[in-house]
Amino acid sequence: MTETTPEVDVRPARDHELGQVASLRWHWVHDQPYGGANLPNHDDYVTAAAAWARTHGDSHVAFVARSSGSAIGMAWLALLERVPAPDRMQRLNGDLQSCYVLREFRGRGVGSRLVAAVLQEARRRGCEHVTVHASPLSVPMYERAGFEHNPELLWSVTDGP
């Protein structure tokens, strides 16, 4: 980080910060060329998404990056219990989701620190592996964090909403 970069704190989001994390998610989609037109009202979304995060705290762990008292980035660890194996009844996978840093803070290592925090939590919880659906621009950051391309990982896009 450069001398002009303010101190950044990266950690699991606290209950009172979930609205700020939800606001980041709204702004992320709003700022996309394809996304802003049909979004719900900001305040309605923030209220609903923060409530959702509170009720899904066991399966979705929010992380926040803060600087100078403001939320500047977020990432989520989605946890999925796997079918028990004969040699291991408790199995867990993680999915790194919605990693986002405000444009003015990009290129300063904030995203990498969010990814590291998510991976540390995944290890602490015993996840067998963590996946991520990355944008082309973010692939190098994930590769630096240890993610690898895997020809055995397939996915199907459904006709869902």
Side-chain angles (χ1 to χ4, degrees):
M1 291 222 208
T2 65
E3 292 180 41
T4 60
T5 302
E7 177 91 15
V8 175
D9 182 34
V10 174
R11 57 174 169 68
R14 297 177 180 135
D15 184 77
H16 71 278
E17 296 170 318
L18 293 174
Q20 295 168 44
V21 172
S23 181
L24 285 168
R25 183 71 173 112
W26 188 90
H27 284 287
W28 176 14
V29 175
H30 181 268
D31 292 342
Q32 297 300 314
Y34 58 83
N38 297 317
L39 291 182
N41 171 277
H42 173 269
D43 293 343
D44 293 343
Y45 172 77
V46 167
T47 299
W52 179 91
R54 287 183 184 96
T55 62
H56 290 82
D58 289 341
S59 63
H60 291 75
V61 183
F63 288 81
V64 65
R66 299 187 63 82
S67 178
S68 300
S70 298
I72 63 163
M74 66 168 176
W76 291 76
L77 173 61
L79 299 163
L80 175 66
E81 290 188 39
R82 298 191 65 195
V83 174
D87 62 342
R88 189 166 177 203
M89 291 299 291
Q90 299 294 318
R91 298 175 66 215
L92 191 64
N93 283 352
D95 188 51
L96 194 157
Q97 299 180 350
S98 298
C99 187
Y100 173 74
V101 175
L102 292 174
R103 187 175 314 279
E104 58 268 28
F105 290 92
R106 293 180 190 161
R108 302 179 186 185
V110 177
S112 294
R113 290 184 56 201
L114 283 161
V115 171
V118 167
L119 292 175
Q120 181 179 4
E121 181 67 12
R123 281 189 294 277
R124 188 186 75 76
R125 290 178 180 250
C127 289
E128 293 180 28
H129 66 265
V130 176
T131 56
V132 64
H133 181 147
S135 70
L137 290 175
S138 64
V139 168
M141 176 187 67
Y142 292 116
E143 289 175 334
R144 285 190 304 272
F147 283 86
E148 299 176 7
H149 296 271
N150 184 337
E152 295 175 5
L153 183 62
L154 306 172
W155 64 301
S156 173
V157 178
T158 65
D159 292 333

